[in-house]
Structure formats: structure tokens, C-alpha cells
Amino acid sequence: MVGAIRRRAPSNGPAIVASGLVAVLLATSTRYGWFRDELYFRALSRRLGVAFVDVPPLTPFVARLTATVFGDSLVALRVWPALCVAGIVLVNASLASKLGGDPRARTIAAVAVACSPIALIFGHVFHYAAFDLLAWSVVVWSVVHLNAGGSPRWWLGVGATVGIGYENKNLITLVVIGLIVGLIASGRSAVFRSRWFVAGVVLASVLAAPNVIWQLQHGLPEAAMAARIRSESSLADRALVVPFQAAFVGVPVVGVALRGFRHLWRRPEFRFLPIAYLCVLGIVVMTGGKHYYTAGLLPVFLAAGAVSDSTRPRGRRLFVALAVSAIVSAFIGLPLLPQSAVAASPIPAVYPDVVESIGWPEFVSQVTAVRDRLPVADQRNARLLVRNYGEAGALERFGVGLPPVWSPHNHYWHWGPPSVASGVEAVIAVGFERGMLEQVFDQVDAVGRIAMPDRVDSQEQYARLFLCRHLRSSWPTSWALLKNYG
């Protein structure tokens, strides 16, 4: 296969690879079910605002647009991440050309990126990460183009991408910082000496301003959440960030990425790219950020490695590496196993989030059964109080005739407290520790535990169910106590 690529790679090879990737992602999009974060984005999309405490408005807006046009369809929602990773494949294949590669290198780069866990994990579920990674790829491509003597007007494109990307997630500031440091440290700062660079900065600032202003007006909740993540990050978590880089590009093709890193480092005009990556990696490790925060720069090294490998007789070994990477990545990132086999497989140990797409209808039916056992008067006045946004989103998506749902988690907290006139109504609480509830209610009675299907070890497995009555204080006071950002 790779030998054929090297002999007669078609000019449309990357387009064929990207199309195949989209087809695979959409063919598997209906298995298992809604992912926890998808349920949250659905909830945000039904209450659109200028910004939210944990995400800017772009991803919820896309979810709202999709629901308006196609209805409440998970398949339609998952078209977006599939298209985003297809875009990442195409942009990085084009980047291979910018780095000196021929059509063979472009096609190898497309295959390497498409076979990586980055593409299959982030391309399967609707999440801000897919949009974020695409924005990173576009910014990198544009800066490489500018550094190679492209028209300085391209700074407007960079500014637009950064500004729009910031309305999706503020992580795009990492690649901006990394590229600035990389260009300056490698002696390429002349690229900034243009009025178009200033214009790009102004454009990015204007586009990002609504989210920045909202955050300032609401006490910088994103910063509070980042601090929470940092406080919960152990030294072991930070140490694991580096090996996770290999996991994201795909362990079988780590050699390609390493050769790409070396290829870029040895060329002074491109050395800013590995410096930028090292800068971002250092920031993530030092601040206790999540291991995938660097993922947007990793395809760069697969593209560069493809340029390096396309000139060497690595055909059979490269083919084996890409094939193994594709198979392993598919089993990790896509719902290929029967749902009943997931818990017993090694996949949850490698990719724990796989179980967060299983069992939401069953979760809702068990909460509904508790409601149905209440006296009729309590059923009319009851409220549902759940620990996290996945549970709240699931009850809103799959619940039929249920009481209003409230949660103190992330932006759900801002939609509370419950609109209850007195403190005597029954509250069905899900997933909380008893001690926390006893700080809020006088009466807390255990009424069961959640049993998720197929023994999956999700966050909801064995979550406790309580029936609570009689608030100790007012709801606003209690709501402040329950607040949970993270």
C-alpha cells in the first residue's frame, strides 16, 4: 500500500482519505448512545447565551442550529466532528506540501493523521475539542505560510481563526503563545513586522470580546474551573502528560512523529514548530492541564514525518505501522465492540470515556421509577437534583413527564436554584454523598442505587438515590453550598 503511495500517489489522495474517514465515523455514529458532554451541549443549546461558565457559545450554537434543521438527532450532531477531523486531515496534508513534501508525502500525511487516535476519538463525538483542533491546524498552516513569505494579509485569516476559535474554547490561546515563542526563539520574528499582524490581533480581539467581557462580568468562572483542574492534578497526572502524547498520535506511528520533530528541528525556517510544541507541552505540565490540551499540534509532526519518510525506503514497515495504528485507534476511539463486551475489555482502561456513552436511557428509567413510587401529591411537587451535567442532560433528553431537573454542576448551577416556594416538597437526589445532602435537608432517606447496564464502570454506576425533604435554609443559601465547578 505505502509502496504504491510512494510510486504513484494521486493528487486527490488526501481527499480520498478524508472522505473515507468521514464514512467510517458516520457508519459507527449510532452505536452505544449519547456521550455525557453531548447531553450537556444539548442542554446549553436550548438555553443559548453570550457565554457559559465552562465553554463559549460556539459549540452550543452549532448544536442548536443542528437541532433546528434536523431535529434531536445524534447522527446529525456527529456529522460536525467527522467533518472537523476530515478538515484536520486535509489541512495537515497541505502542510506537508508547505514543508517540502510531494504528493506522496501529502497522502502519507493524510493516512497517518486519519489513522491516529486524535482523529477517531475526537471525530466520533460532538464536542468543542473537534472544532478546537481544526482551528489549531488552520492557525499553524497559516503561520507556516506567512513564515515562508506568504502575503501578510494572511494575518487577517489567523486573527479570524483565533477569534472564532476563542468563541469555541479559550485553549486556542495556547497555540498562539507557543507560536509566538517559537518564532521569536528561532529568529523568525520578522514575520510580525507588518501592519497586517496588528490588524489580525485587532480582529481576533474583537471576535473574542463577547466571551471575555462575559467572563469578566461573572467573576472569571473559566479561570476558577482551570484552578480547580490544577488543584486536582497530582504529580503523577502531570508526569503522564508526556507518555499520553505517544498515545494520541498512535504508538505504532510514534516513530513517524519523532522523525517529523527531528526533520523540523534541523530546518531553521521550521524550527519554530517544535519549539512551539515544547512551549505548549511545558505550560500544560506546569499548570496541571489535561493531557489532550496539546493534541492540536501533534498532527504537525505526522505531516513532517511523512515528508521525511516519503524520501526513504520504509514502505513495508510504514504500511505495517499505519495499519496497526488504524486498527488499534479504531477499537479505542470507535464503538466497534458489542456494548455487552466493553466492560470486560481493556478499552476502558485506555480510554475511560468510552463508558460514558452507555446506559443513559436505563439511568433515566431508574430515576423515573423512584418518582413513580412517590405519593401522587409528591409526584406533582417533586424536584430532581442530580450531581452532574451528564445526569441532568440525560433526564432532560430521555425523561418523559418528569419533574424539573436541577444540578449544581458547571452552568447548570447558574440556572438554579430550584423554583420552589417552600422547603417541604420532595426532592429526589442522585449521585450525592449523604453528608452533603444532610447539610441541606433535615430528612434524607436512601431509596436505592443506580445499576448501569452491562456492568460498565461509568460515573453513574452505583450512584446513590435519596429522597430528601425540608430544607435547612433557603434555596439560594443551599445552592451556594452545593455549587460544583469542574
Side-chain angles (χ1 to χ4, degrees):
M1 175 182 174
V2 172
I5 290 174
R6 296 185 69 247
R7 290 192 299 271
R8 55 179 188 280
S11 60
N12 62 344
I16 295 172
V17 173
S19 299
L21 177 60
V22 170
V24 169
L25 289 168
L26 295 184
T28 58
S29 64
T30 57
R31 302 200 70 192
Y32 301 174
W34 289 72
F35 180 58
R36 169 186 304 282
D37 289 5
E38 290 173 323
L39 293 166
Y40 182 46
F41 287 124
R42 177 185 179 275
L44 296 177
S45 75
R46 300 166 82 86
R47 306 166 174 91
L48 281 179
V50 174
F52 304 96
V53 300
D54 46 353
V55 291
L58 181 60
T59 308
F61 173 78
V62 173
R64 177 67 169 269
L65 177 65
T66 305
T68 301
V69 177
F70 299 104
D72 208 6
S73 167
L74 181 58
V75 176
L77 205 59
R78 289 182 172 176
V79 169
W80 291 102
L83 293 177
C84 283
V85 295
I88 293 168
V89 167
L90 294 175
V91 170
N92 283 281
S94 178
L95 181 64
S97 292
K98 294 287 182 185
L99 300 177
D102 58 13
R104 294 172 296 181
R106 293 177 66 241
T107 302
I108 293 172
V111 173
V113 175
C115 291
S116 69
I118 293 171
L120 296 179
I121 289 175
F122 295 115
H124 175 61
V125 298
F126 181 82
H127 196 272
Y128 67 75
F131 298 100
D132 191 46
L133 297 180
L134 177 58
W136 281 45
S137 290
V138 171
V139 169
V140 169
W141 185 97
S142 300
V143 172
V144 169
H145 178 72
L146 284 158
N147 184 60
S151 170
R153 289 181 173 84
W154 272 100
W155 280 120
L156 291 176
V158 175
T161 305
V162 171
I164 295 171
Y166 195 89
E167 291 295 339
N168 174 65
K169 190 64 177 175
N170 63 9
L171 291 176
I172 199 165
T173 56
L174 285 176
V175 72
V176 172
I177 293 170
L179 290 171
I180 291 173
V181 170
L183 287 164
I184 293 174
S186 62
R188 312 296 294 182
S189 59
V191 73
F192 299 127
R193 298 178 192 137
S194 167
R195 68 179 187 274
W196 293 105
F197 171 71
V198 176
V201 171
V202 171
L203 179 58
S205 301
V206 169
L207 291 172
N211 182 42
V212 173
I213 293 170
W214 190 93
Q215 289 288 324
L216 290 170
Q217 290 175 338
H218 292 79
L220 297 174
E222 280 192 339
M225 293 190 64
R228 171 75 177 273
I229 292 172
R230 183 165 57 252
S231 68
E232 294 177 349
S233 176
S234 66
L235 289 176
D237 292 331
R238 299 185 188 203
L240 286 172
V241 170
V242 174
F244 261 103
Q245 307 306 295
F248 276 121
V249 298
V251 173
V253 294
V254 165
V256 177
L258 290 174
R259 290 190 291 273
F261 187 97
R262 182 178 61 191
H263 178 76
L264 295 172
W265 190 269
R266 288 177 172 177
R267 298 182 63 178
E269 69 273 29
F270 297 130
R271 191 172 295 156
F272 72 92
L273 290 169
I275 294 175
Y277 170 73
L278 292 175
C279 176
V280 171
L281 181 62
I283 292 172
V284 171
V285 172
M286 287 188 295
T287 61
K290 295 182 180 179
H291 49 265
Y292 68 84
Y293 286 179
T294 61
L297 280 173
L298 293 175
V300 171
F301 303 111
L302 292 174
V307 174
S308 175
D309 284 357
S310 66
T311 62
R312 291 175 172 81
R314 301 183 188 274
R316 180 170 296 178
R317 283 181 294 168
L318 186 56
F319 167 70
V320 171
L322 291 171
V324 173
S325 180
I327 293 170
V328 173
S329 299
F331 273 95
I332 292 173
L334 300 179
L336 299 184
L337 289 180
Q339 180 176 301
S340 58
V342 171
S345 76
I347 293 176
V350 179
Y351 178 46
D353 282 349
V354 67
V355 300
E356 303 300 339
S357 294
I358 295 175
W360 289 115
E362 290 85 351
F363 167 83
V364 172
S365 68
Q366 291 173 66
V367 176
T368 302
V370 173
R371 189 282 312 266
D372 291 344
R373 291 198 296 268
L374 296 176
V376 175
D378 281 339
Q379 290 185 30
R380 287 197 301 266
N381 297 321
R383 296 293 184 268
L384 295 175
L385 180 65
V386 297
R387 177 183 55 178
N388 63 55
Y389 61 56
E391 296 163 351
L395 289 164
E396 290 187 353
R397 171 62 180 82
F398 299 108
V400 177
L402 288 177
V405 182
W406 304 92
S407 175
H409 190 205
N410 289 12
H411 206 85
Y412 264 101
W413 183 84
H414 279 259
W415 296 326
S419 54
V420 182
S422 65
V424 298
E425 289 84 354
V427 174
I428 301 170
V430 184
F432 292 91
E433 295 294 330
R434 186 181 195 119
M436 172 61 73
L437 294 174
E438 287 176 340
Q439 296 179 52
V440 177
F441 299 96
D442 280 326
Q443 181 179 341
V444 179
D445 298 317
V447 292
R449 285 184 181 270
I450 295 293
M452 298 296 274
D454 300 309
R455 296 175 289 108
V456 296
D457 190 21
S458 67
Q459 294 183 41
E460 281 58 55
Q461 187 68 279
Y462 309 125
R464 302 182 72 182
L465 293 149
F466 295 96
L467 182 62
C468 308
R469 300 179 188 273
H470 309 303
L471 279 172
R472 289 180 176 271
S473 184
S474 66
W475 262 119
T477 301
S478 301
W479 205 237
L481 181 66
L482 291 169
K483 184 178 181 180
N484 176 25
Y485 279 179

